[in-house]
Amino acid sequence: MEATPQIEKRILRAPFTDDVIRSLTAGDLVYLSGTIYTARDAAHKRLCEMLDRGEPMPFDFTGQVVYYAGPCPAKPGKPIGSVGPTTGGRMDAYSPTLIAEGLKVMIGKGSRSKEVVDALKQYTGVYFAAIGGAAALMAKCVKSAEVIAFDDLGTEAIRRLEVEELPVIVVLDCQGNNAYERGRSEFQA
């Protein structure tokens, strides 16, 4: 019986450089460790309004990761509750603006608009899919969570998360290749 070849686990850390993003291909499975931020549509709308008014952002977008998630409240002794991905298309009206400001990586689920794909290609960005339906599993990757902006939005407030080996799949790479269009059988581990 032949031995199964060992596949090296690829762990990435923010902030992302263009070189790291260029090394990613649609369908790649990677793990994120380090600091990422949560934000959903209400927070995205506010961020874009702040940019229009010339106000400072609650964090520097340069090379950063935004996870489209509105986590559940934490149980005692835990940093966060279930934290599953939200549909990325809900942020499509705002994402190109934030990508132009330096945002490099987004995590969600579902397809994205042509405008988002074009922005990822123009500014060397990437869109990851988190594992839908596994919000409790994703929460186990979160080591700390802190609200940093828009506390009045509750679960949609912007949070800074420290994560360890959060599993994600490259859906859209910086060349515009789309794993959803390639089919599941072509995904690489």
Side-chain angles (χ1 to χ4, degrees):
M1 185 169 205
E2 278 186 48
T4 304
Q6 291 291 344
I7 298 171
E8 189 173 320
K9 183 187 270 189
R10 187 162 179 202
I11 301 170
L12 305 176
R13 291 191 164 276
F16 279 65
T17 64
D18 287 354
D19 287 341
V20 169
I21 289 174
R22 283 188 200 104
S23 75
L24 299 169
T25 303
D28 287 351
L29 171 65
V30 298
Y31 297 84
L32 302 183
S33 289
T35 303
I36 67 172
Y37 298 87
T38 64
R40 289 181 44 173
D41 35 328
H44 275 67
K45 182 176 189 274
R46 284 193 188 175
L47 290 169
C48 287
E49 291 168 350
M50 290 171 69
L51 283 169
D52 287 345
R53 293 189 299 264
E55 297 174 10
M57 295 291 95
F59 66 96
D60 182 3
F61 291 132
T62 307
Q64 290 302 334
V65 178
V66 169
Y67 182 19
Y68 302 149
C72 294
K75 292 183 179 177
K78 300 290 181 186
I80 203 164
S82 294
V83 61
T86 298
T87 302
R90 296 173 61 173
M91 273 51 74
D92 281 358
Y94 314 108
S95 292
T97 299
L98 301 182
I99 294 167
E101 288 294 316
L103 181 65
K104 289 289 184 184
V105 178
M106 298 161 291
I107 305 169
K109 65 180 181 180
S111 299
R112 304 307 300 272
S113 70
K114 179 186 182 315
E115 292 77 17
V116 172
V117 174
D118 290 346
L120 293 174
K121 289 164 58 175
Q122 180 179 355
Y123 296 102
T124 315
V126 66
Y127 174 58
F128 291 121
I131 302 167
L137 171 65
M138 303 300 269
K140 290 182 179 193
C141 297
V142 177
K143 302 307 171 194
S144 70
E146 170 191 13
V147 172
I148 62 163
F150 314 142
D151 191 36
D152 62 304
L153 293 178
T155 60
E156 290 202 35
I158 295 178
R159 286 173 172 74
R160 179 178 21 246
L161 305 181
E162 292 299 323
V163 298
E164 188 175 310
E165 297 187 15
L166 182 75
V168 293
I169 297 169
V170 178
V171 172
L172 294 168
D173 63 28
C174 67
Q175 301 298 315
N177 298 310
N178 187 330
Y180 290 150
E181 293 172 0
R182 287 175 42 192
R184 295 176 194 268
S185 64
E186 294 183 44
F187 279 13
Q188 303 167 10

